[in-house]
Amino acid sequence: METIFLGCDHAGFSLKQNILAFLTNMSVQVRDLGSDHGDASVNYPEYAHKVVRAVLANPGSRGILICGTGLGMSMAANRFPGIRAALCQEIYTARMSRLHNDANLLVMGGRIVGPGLAQEIVLTWLTTPFEGGRHQQRLELIETLSNQSLEYPEGDPT
Ligand code: RB5
């Protein structure tokens, strides 16, 4: 399996440490990109950006981001083309985010999920393959449409 890059802010630090140990115990190749500052307040977009850069620079790799709710990390990461960040706080979404969405980033809320559930989410997400087929076409459509102008050439119809 390719490298898994980890990132968090202060609200996700404790869960990130737990997931780091969990993955290391399973002999998954993992790189911790911070935060390294424990509970000290840091800005989640900076850690989202670090993990996004690493994932895009290493084809086949994936990332895990953890903040308080998972919302800020999701919003920050999904601004970048080629990133498909999935906020998963339970198993079903984690599974579907791989099967249908080929998510290359898993996002969780350290103030939402406990360590036991988070480990199950991570395990499911890491071991579920992408189904491809019609789902691949839809992913390509996301990229195509997001590159198109949002202007109405004939004037706003609304
Ligand atoms: C930090 O207090 C919190 O806002 C952050 O971790 C995250 O939940 C933002 O979406």
Side-chain angles (χ1 to χ4, degrees):
M1 184 180 285
E2 297 290 334
T3 303
I4 304 298
F5 295 99
L6 294 185
C8 72
D9 70 355
H10 51 288
F13 182 79
S14 161
L15 185 57
K16 187 260 287 175
Q17 295 304 105
N18 182 289
I19 296 302
L20 175 60
F22 177 64
L23 294 176
T24 304
N25 280 342
M26 290 198 308
S27 301
V28 172
Q29 193 174 326
V30 58
R31 285 263 325 269
D32 180 6
L33 301 183
S35 155
D36 306 319
H37 306 293
D39 294 339
S41 186
V42 294
N43 297 317
Y44 63 80
E46 291 171 15
Y47 293 92
H49 189 248
K50 284 178 199 285
V51 170
V52 161
R53 283 183 80 183
V55 167
L56 293 177
N58 293 275
S61 69
R62 291 193 249 164
I64 299 176
L65 288 168
I66 306 172
C67 61
T69 58
L71 290 169
M73 286 291 198
S74 306
M75 291 176 187
N78 276 318
R79 297 293 291 268
F80 299 94
I83 289 296
R84 295 175 300 281
L87 174 56
C88 303
Q89 319 273 27
E90 33 70 32
I91 308 286
Y92 180 77
T93 313
R95 189 160 161 274
M96 297 311 291
S97 80
R98 291 290 312 137
L99 286 173
H100 286 194
N101 310 110
D102 196 20
N104 52 7
L105 284 186
L106 168 65
V107 187
M108 294 183 291
R111 292 172 176 161
I112 309 289
V113 294
L117 176 56
Q119 289 180 6
E120 292 294 324
I121 290 171
V122 167
L123 197 55
T124 300
W125 189 76
L126 287 181
T127 55
T128 303
F130 178 45
E131 275 182 1
R134 68 186 189 282
H135 303 296
Q136 178 60 38
Q137 291 169 18
R138 290 167 183 163
L139 295 183
E140 286 164 15
L141 194 53
I142 292 177
E143 299 293 332
T144 303
L145 291 176
S146 62
N147 284 326
Q148 283 180 9
S149 167
L150 292 175
E151 288 176 16
Y152 295 103
E154 299 89 28
D156 185 348
T158 60

